Amino acid sequence: MIRFFGHNLTSLASKVLIALSGLGLAGFVVFHMLGNLQVFQGPEALNRYAAFLREMPILLWSARLMLLAIVGLHIGLSVHLAIRNRRARPVGYVVRHYRRASLASRTMALTGSVLVLFIVFHVLHLTAGWIDPSFHNRLDIRGHRDVFGNVVHAFQNPMLVVIYLAGQVALGLHLSHALSGSLQTLGMEHPMLDRLFRGAGPLVALVVVVGNAAIVLAIAFGLVRA
Ligand code: HEM
């Protein structure tokens, strides 16, 4: 039994919490992508947006801490549940039949782990400026942090392009299976809506991955320049 704030959690309760935290994280990823698409409007729009977020430190830090707590809960419960399921079936299946399981569903642990590595790298890179400090503290002509210049500088480096695109592959696979699974765990299964929910995960994942990859590739191919 998983202990949570002094209470024992059943498998179902763990799955519901994993689903709810996953939906919260998916919401963040969609809003983050929409915000970042302002790179196509030029430096003023993206830098103003980034400055707007930082102008409210209490709100920003509350959101950061909440995001961190949700990520911790999501990963902690997922790992715990996976270990418990494995222990409940100590002898693995001799032949694995994957006929109905999609690639995304079979690789959830792998794509989840790659995503964690990607997020740590990404925050150290673009938020903390540890990976490449050369652009991090520059200001634009309006005195805002030049987030646009930093992002454009980043994706002129082929190594960073490959790392970010690999992150998008992991994100796309993880999100496509996780979203549909979460909706089903939360009991939102309905004969008429079943196909819609099953399609929702891959559709949202595709939109997010195409949006993010468009930013990276537009800069890499010189369509967006500083
Ligand atoms: C190509 C895609 C992406 C771009 C261009 C991008 C861009 C950025 C930028 C510029 C920042 C720093 C903002 C600032 O310092 O004001 C940032 C922060 C962040 N990004 Fe991304 N991002 C991308 C994808 C992702 C993905 C896929 C995730 C999560 C799965 C993610 C999670 C985060 C997080 C957690 C932060 C830290 C937010 C904070 O506390 O300030 N990003 N991103």
Side-chain angles (χ1 to χ4, degrees):
M1 199 71 71
I2 297 174
R3 300 281 297 164
F4 185 69
F5 285 112
H7 297 278
N8 289 328
L9 281 189
T10 60
S11 284
L12 180 64
S14 307
K15 279 185 172 180
V16 168
L17 284 174
I18 292 170
L20 286 173
S21 53
L23 286 179
L25 295 175
F28 166 79
V29 169
V30 171
F31 276 105
H32 190 51
M33 184 265 302
L34 291 175
N36 288 334
L37 282 178
Q38 292 180 74
V39 86
F40 290 106
Q41 289 178 273
E44 217 185 303
L46 189 68
N47 293 349
R48 200 181 332 111
Y49 168 68
F52 167 74
L53 295 180
R54 295 222 174 193
E55 269 161 19
M56 302 173 287
I58 297 187
L59 214 69
L60 176 68
W61 277 102
S62 312
R64 280 176 172 170
L65 289 176
M66 208 162 82
L67 200 60
L68 204 63
I70 296 177
V71 170
L73 179 77
H74 188 78
I75 296 173
L77 287 178
S78 305
V79 171
H80 213 301
L81 198 63
I83 292 172
R84 196 165 65 173
N85 288 345
R86 191 157 295 187
R87 278 203 194 127
R89 200 189 55 228
V91 182
Y93 294 122
V94 177
V95 182
R96 286 173 187 256
H97 289 290
Y98 286 138
R99 241 178 342 149
R100 293 205 59 209
S102 63
L103 175 72
S105 72
R106 279 183 278 131
T107 52
M108 286 302 279
L110 176 68
T111 53
S113 310
V114 173
L115 259 185
V116 172
L117 291 178
F118 169 76
I119 293 169
V120 172
F121 177 85
H122 174 55
V123 171
L124 291 180
H125 174 217
L126 288 180
T127 302
W130 287 10
I131 308 286
D132 179 3
S134 58
F135 254 77
H136 191 63
N137 291 320
R138 289 204 194 176
L139 301 179
D140 66 11
I141 46 168
R142 291 179 190 275
H144 293 144
R145 281 171 57 246
D146 190 9
V147 174
F148 177 88
N150 196 14
V151 171
V152 169
H153 172 68
F155 300 133
Q156 284 169 344
N157 177 339
M159 187 76 148
L160 288 172
V161 170
V162 170
I163 292 173
Y164 272 77
L165 291 181
Q168 299 316 305
V169 173
L171 176 67
L173 285 171
H174 199 81
L175 207 54
S176 91
H177 178 69
L179 262 182
S180 304
S182 298
L183 292 172
Q184 286 173 348
T185 300
L186 295 176
M188 294 188 194
E189 267 182 302
H190 185 282
M192 272 168 65
L193 295 177
D194 193 44
R195 287 184 81 186
L196 185 76
F197 285 144
R198 249 188 286 157
L203 183 69
V204 174
L206 186 72
V207 169
V208 170
V209 168
V210 168
N212 282 341
I215 297 171
V216 177
L217 293 173
I219 295 169
F221 287 107
L223 301 174
V224 173
R225 300 161 199 238

